Amino acid sequence: MNSPSVLEMQHVHKIFFPGTENQRHILKDVSLDIHPGDFISVIGNNGAGKSTLLNVIAGNLKADAGTMQIMGNDITNKSISSRSKWISRVFQDAKLGTAGDLTVYENMAVAEKVNGHVNLRFFNSQKKRQAFKQKLTTLKMGLANRLDTPVKYLSGGQRQALSLLMATISSPSLLLLDEHTAALDPKTSAEVMELTNQVVNEQQLTSLMITHKVDDALTYGNRLIMVQDGQIKVDLSSEEKKNLSKGELMALFEN
Ligand SMILES: Nc1ncnc2c1ncn2[C@@H]1O[C@H](COP(=O)(O)OP(=O)(O)OP(=O)(O)O)[C@@H](O)[C@H]1O
């Protein structure tokens, strides 16, 4: 028997300002089946509807039509907070995923608590500090000895690496990566992308990653989706992706 889908979207539409002269039909009958362990890159032109797609999945926006199930649960009309037991998100702006005035330790403890796995007895125990330090060491971003540093003093790359760690601390069913390397310099962006790949592979996470970096979309993940004018126009498997050159992928943008 096939394992159940992580996410099943069926015939989803999103229309902004419906019934007005400003009406914009952004998602047009989008159906998407995400399987356990899928690491999907999502590419597409500016304004194609990629972020709207992520927002509808996360619950920031309500779909105007269609249905969505996650791990077999109907979430079509569920709030962001009730979806958060399954879904985590890393944003382009690391400030959205972390609290600047709290320390690295406090941010991690809050992330665990939000995800419902904290034992308050251990909230500031040596054991917990050790466990967090261990997790930070694996990031190789110079954070292991910064447990007591307020997050606002970290570099952009360190802060984004911490966001990633926090978003994955309780192994979400679905990880949404929303251009999460776009605001970083090229070297740091490459480091955070490698780190993402490491975390996703080690924890066997199911992930959906929006990126404008065509090289990253080709290099990472087992599936590649192209969104055009509110529709999924291309959905490539790992094998199809492997056989596609950057030039051929770029040409698909023009079709
Ligand atoms: N809350 C909103 N209200 C009205 N229009 C919106 C809203 N969010 C997005 N849009 C519009 O929907 C269209 C698609 O936007 P979206 O952000 O999903 O595109 P995108 O593919 O993520 O683009 P980019 O690559 O530039 O981030 C755009 O024209 C945008 O202006």
Side-chain angles (χ1 to χ4, degrees):
M1 205 179 86
N2 288 339
S3 43
S5 296
V6 172
L7 181 85
E8 250 186 290
M9 285 183 99
Q10 287 133 346
H11 306 293
V12 166
H13 290 259
K14 181 66 207 170
I15 304 170
F16 292 115
F17 312 116
T20 72
E21 60 181 16
N22 295 321
Q23 176 166 311
R24 305 279 316 277
H25 196 159
I26 301 301
L27 295 184
K28 298 170 182 162
D29 200 30
V30 174
S31 296
L32 176 64
D33 205 351
I34 302 183
H35 312 289
D38 269 352
F39 181 2
I40 306 175
S41 301
V42 183
I43 58 171
N45 290 325
N46 291 124
K50 303 179 297 298
S51 295
T52 304
L53 178 67
L54 250 65
N55 282 328
V56 164
I57 294 172
N60 301 70
L61 290 172
K62 193 175 162 344
D64 294 296
T67 58
M68 262 183 298
Q69 284 92 35
I70 192 156
M71 309 300 286
N73 300 277
D74 188 347
I75 56 161
T76 312
N77 295 309
K78 294 263 190 270
S79 64
I80 304 179
S81 58
S82 51
R83 294 178 196 204
S84 66
K85 73 171 144 182
W86 296 289
I87 300 175
S88 275
R89 187 167 179 177
V90 183
F91 296 89
Q92 181 174 335
D93 183 354
K95 292 193 180 99
L96 293 176
T98 49
D101 288 329
L102 301 184
T103 64
V104 171
Y105 180 88
E106 287 163 344
N107 269 274
M108 291 177 74
V110 168
E112 264 203 339
K113 188 163 166 17
V114 167
N115 289 296
H117 289 269
V118 82
N119 180 340
L120 285 177
R121 215 150 47 93
F122 295 126
F123 194 80
N124 204 8
S125 68
Q126 272 313 316
K127 202 169 158 192
K128 180 64 61 191
R129 287 180 70 83
Q130 218 30 57
F132 284 175
K133 190 173 172 176
Q134 181 56 36
K135 283 183 187 295
L136 292 166
T137 305
T138 62
L139 299 182
K140 299 193 189 85
M141 295 289 286
L143 284 165
N145 294 315
R146 307 291 297 276
L147 273 178
D148 299 313
T149 302
V151 164
K152 64 186 170 195
Y153 298 129
L154 301 181
S155 70
Q158 286 175 324
R159 197 158 171 172
Q160 196 59 308
L162 180 63
S163 298
L164 179 69
L165 187 59
M166 289 166 63
T168 55
I169 207 158
S170 298
S171 297
S173 303
L174 180 63
L175 175 67
L176 301 177
L177 302 163
D178 194 352
E179 288 192 63
H180 72 304
T181 65
L184 305 171
D185 67 65
K187 181 169 173 284
T188 311
S189 164
E191 284 169 3
V192 171
M193 190 58 240
E194 256 310 307
L195 186 59
T196 304
N197 194 43
Q198 180 191 314
V199 170
V200 166
N201 287 332
E202 278 172 8
Q203 294 190 41
Q204 298 189 324
L205 296 174
T206 305
S207 317
L208 195 62
M209 173 178 81
I210 297 181
T211 181
H212 280 288
K213 296 181 175 134
V214 172
D215 287 319
D216 284 354
L218 280 172
T219 306
Y220 298 99
N222 69 326
R223 208 169 144 190
L224 189 153
I225 281 174
M226 180 181 281
V227 177
Q228 264 175 5
D229 191 23
Q231 294 181 312
I232 295 176
K233 284 283 166 64
V234 176
D235 186 347
L236 302 175
S237 68
S238 193
E239 206 51 41
E240 291 167 321
K241 199 157 78 85
K242 233 183 273 167
N243 295 322
L244 195 75
S245 70
K246 188 175 173 182
E248 286 168 328
L249 182 57
M250 295 302 288
L252 292 175
F253 274 92
E254 277 117 50
N255 291 331

